[in-house]
């Protein structure tokens, strides 16, 4: 930001909204509230696709339009707040706003995850700010703490539940006998899950979010294709029952950690010991666990989605921009790129594995499965024969391994699957390691 963009004379508090959906309505309400007015905020324009649609907020006459130029080209607008979601045209509008010398606040995780570096550079080149606190963890402050309060730390690791929809689904399934399909339908009925739940249940949403956090925490630009991603569709109700018998629950975890001289970023369902705090983060709540070399472990928990929590983060960014705009100074920049921290492949990850197999219930089966694991240098910690179906001659077998390399485990799974009617691997879930837990 340069002095001209920050001078008090120029600080009029004019805001242009791109998108007035559920979150946009809550943000507009906050701008129009007595508190917003007291702080000198003015809603100058709001862009929507359909101006005739009923909304949760009554906007001042003349503010609503379907023409983006009424915000992007307006000299009255100092801060553009983008809440449309999706990659395009949001990316284009944010770029146009920055090039026009407007400060931008966005909640758009897809745009920041895919184009953050380009947009940050565009903001710097145009002496304006780009803020995106609401893009990760809804109302949880995590972006600004990483940029500000934790800037002096070397961050060692992040581990998070950053998708509320899947955490709601998994919590329902953990509560007893609820299938994935029923839990998903329930989440859709309550408005957590979209009609097309792909972004959430196949973990794209969590991948966008952990890539944003990893960039800020480690100074590493992590292309989403380089993040190991596995969603929750394979997780069945019996996995919860068996996991519980073994002392675990199942969570969709997003993690980024320094290990073996590099950075490994991964998103997948994981067995989490029932007695660690993360196991008790239920429903649509989110949590981010961070570990810094100076600060030690941190725990940030809160509502990761929804109109008001997201508006809380967006308005925090708006007010922060405004106070810098009025008082002069700079907002902090992201850490410079760290060229000495290469991205690691998931194949090198090491953990214990929970494996659920459906096998023929007859002599010699276990020996063949143990052989396939042993050939790949994987040591078995325990074997439990769970439900059996005498009519079909099948049984569920749960094998817990000692820590093993991901690459070896994948090869062993292929071999067991190839054993045909001897054994079929129904699910493999990584066991998350916690220093003080089992
Ligand atoms: N769909 C997201 C979630 C909320 O379920 O957490 C928006 O980021």
């Amino acid at each position: 930001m340069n002095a001209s963009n920050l001078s008090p004379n120029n600080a009029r508090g004019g805001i242009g909204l791109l998108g007035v959906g559920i979150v946009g309505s809550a943000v507009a309400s906050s701008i129009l509230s007595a508190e917003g007015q007291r702080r000198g905020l003015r809603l100058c324009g709001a862009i929507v696709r359909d101006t005739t649609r009923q909304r949760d907020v009554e906007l001042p006459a003349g503010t609503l339009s379907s023409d983006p130029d009424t915000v992007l080209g307006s000299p009255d607008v100092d801060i553009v707040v983008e809440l449309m979601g999706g990659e395009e045209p949001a990316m284009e509008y944010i770029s146009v706003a920055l090039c026009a010398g407007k400060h931008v606040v966005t909640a758009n995780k897809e745009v920041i995850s895919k184009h953050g570096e380009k947009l940050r550079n565009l903001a710097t080149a145009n002496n304006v700010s780009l803020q995106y606190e609401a893009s990760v963890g809804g109302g949880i402050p995590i972006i600004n703490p990483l940029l500000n309060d934790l800037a002096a730390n070397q961050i060692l690791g992040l581990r998070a539940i950053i998708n509320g929809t899947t955490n709601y689904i998994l919590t329902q399934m953990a509560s007893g006998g609820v299938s994935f399909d029923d839990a998903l339908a329930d989440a859709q009925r309550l408005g957590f899950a979209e009609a097309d739940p792909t972004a959430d249940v196949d973990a794209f949403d969590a991948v966008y979010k952990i890539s944003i956090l990893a960039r800020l925490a480690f100074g590493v630009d992590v292309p989403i294709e380089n993040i190991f991603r596995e969603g929750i569709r394979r997780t069945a109700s019996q996995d919860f029952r068996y996991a519980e018998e073994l002392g675990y629950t199942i969570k969709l975890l997003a993690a980024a950690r320094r290990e073996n001289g590099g950075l490994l970023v991964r998103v997948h369902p994981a067995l989490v010991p029932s007695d660690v705090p993360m196991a008790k983060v239920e429903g649509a709540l989110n949590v981010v666990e961070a570990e810094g070399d100076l600060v030690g472990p941190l725990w940030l928990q809160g509502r990761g989605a929804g109109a008001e929590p997201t508006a809380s983060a967006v308005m925090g960014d708006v007010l922060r921009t405004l106070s810098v705009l009025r008082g002069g100074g700079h907002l902090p920049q992201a850490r410079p790129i760290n060229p000495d921290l290469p991205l690691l492949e998931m194949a090198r990850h090491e953990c214990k594995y929970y494996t659920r197999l459906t096998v023929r219930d007859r002599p010699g089966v276990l020996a063949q499965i143990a052989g396939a694991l042993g050939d790949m240098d994987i040591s078995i910690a325990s074997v439990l024969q769970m439900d059996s179906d005498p009519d079909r001659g099948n049984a569920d077998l749960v094998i817990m391994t000692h820590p093993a390399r991901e690459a070896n485990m994948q090869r062993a799974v292929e071999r067991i699957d190839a054993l045909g009617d001897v054994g079929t691997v129904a699910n493999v879930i990584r066991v998350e390691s916690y220093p003080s837990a089992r």
Side-chain angles (χ1 to χ4, degrees), residues 107 109 134-138 162-167 192-194 199-200 205-206 209 284-286 304-306 310:
K109 63 229 157 189
S135 64
V136 182
I162 37 177
N163 183 269
T165 303
T166 46
N167 203 45
F192 292 130
E194 309 277 341
D200 293 319
D205 177 87
K209 291 168 175 171
L285 284 176
N286 281 196
T310 310

Side-chain angles (χ1 to χ4, degrees), residues 110-429:
E110 184 171 357
V111 165
I112 296 298
S113 165
K114 291 182 179 171
H115 308 290
E117 218 52 36
K118 183 175 170 199
L119 292 175
R120 276 186 287 269
N121 290 337
L122 210 51
T124 306
N126 288 281
N127 297 304
V128 288
S129 67
L130 169 70
Q131 291 200 82
Y132 42 93
E133 180 61 69
S135 64
V136 182
I140 302 174
I142 178 65
I143 303 286
N144 279 284
L146 284 172
L147 282 166
N148 293 281
D149 316 79
L150 302 174
N153 282 259
Q154 184 184 74
I155 303 294
L156 306 174
L158 296 172
R159 183 159 49 190
I161 294 172
I162 37 177
N163 183 269
T165 303
T166 46
N167 203 45
Y168 177 84
I169 291 171
L170 296 176
T171 304
Q172 290 294 101
M173 293 177 77
S175 70
V178 181
S179 71
F180 170 77
D181 288 340
D182 287 348
L184 172 59
D186 192 35
Q188 284 169 323
R189 191 176 50 76
L190 290 170
F192 292 130
E194 309 277 341
D196 176 1
T198 307
D200 293 319
V201 302
D202 293 320
F204 292 100
D205 177 87
V207 161
Y208 294 147
K209 291 168 175 171
I210 195 71
S211 81
I212 294 171
L213 294 185
R215 168 66 186 88
L216 299 179
F218 303 98
V220 176
D221 196 14
V222 190
I224 51 176
E225 315 76 68
N226 293 13
I227 297 178
F228 178 81
R229 177 184 58 81
E230 187 180 302
I232 63 166
R233 288 187 199 265
R234 267 180 101 179
T235 316
S237 58
Q238 61 266 46
D239 289 319
F240 284 92
R241 197 151 42 89
Y242 301 161
E244 193 183 339
E245 284 192 31
L246 293 160
Y248 294 91
T249 191
I250 303 168
K251 295 290 184 189
L252 180 70
L253 295 187
R257 190 158 194 97
R258 289 172 194 267
E259 50 190 67
N260 301 318
L263 180 71
L264 182 67
V265 189
R266 56 193 168 92
V267 177
H268 54 80
L271 254 63
V272 171
S274 309
D275 54 359
V276 303
M278 203 158 245
K280 296 171 184 85
V281 177
E282 298 193 326
L285 284 176
N286 281 196
V287 68
V288 181
E289 224 180 53
E291 190 184 350
D293 61 342
L294 302 176
V295 73
L298 277 178
W299 175 265
L300 296 160
Q301 179 180 333
R303 290 199 282 161
E308 279 80 20
T310 310
S312 161
V314 169
M315 290 307 292
D317 279 350
V318 167
L319 294 172
R320 201 173 359 260
T321 305
L322 206 59
S323 80
V324 175
L325 241 154
R326 287 176 174 161
H330 294 266
L331 287 168
Q333 305 275 324
R335 284 171 201 259
I337 292 285
N338 179 354
D340 301 324
L341 199 58
L343 280 175
L344 299 183
E345 295 199 351
M346 186 65 177
R348 295 187 56 187
H349 185 56
E350 202 172 294
C351 66
K352 300 177 188 173
Y353 291 85
Y354 156 104
T355 312
R356 172 166 59 88
L357 306 116
T358 304
V359 298
R360 303 294 292 165
D361 199 1
R362 64 173 191 229
V365 165
L366 189 55
Q368 292 190 56
I369 293 167
L373 289 165
D375 286 349
M376 293 314 304
D377 206 22
I378 297 170
S379 166
I380 294 173
S382 67
V383 180
L384 298 171
Q385 180 152 337
M386 301 295 198
D387 298 346
S388 52
D389 180 347
D391 293 341
R392 292 192 178 163
N394 284 345
D396 268 4
L397 215 58
V398 168
I399 298 180
M400 292 290 275
T401 73
H402 285 297
R405 272 278 164 104
E406 175 81 16
N408 291 7
M409 190 63 192
Q410 294 301 345
R411 293 268 309 277
V413 165
E414 276 168 26
R415 287 188 182 196
I416 295 168
D417 263 336
L419 294 174
D421 73 339
V422 168
T424 308
V425 180
N427 204 357
V428 177
I429 308 180

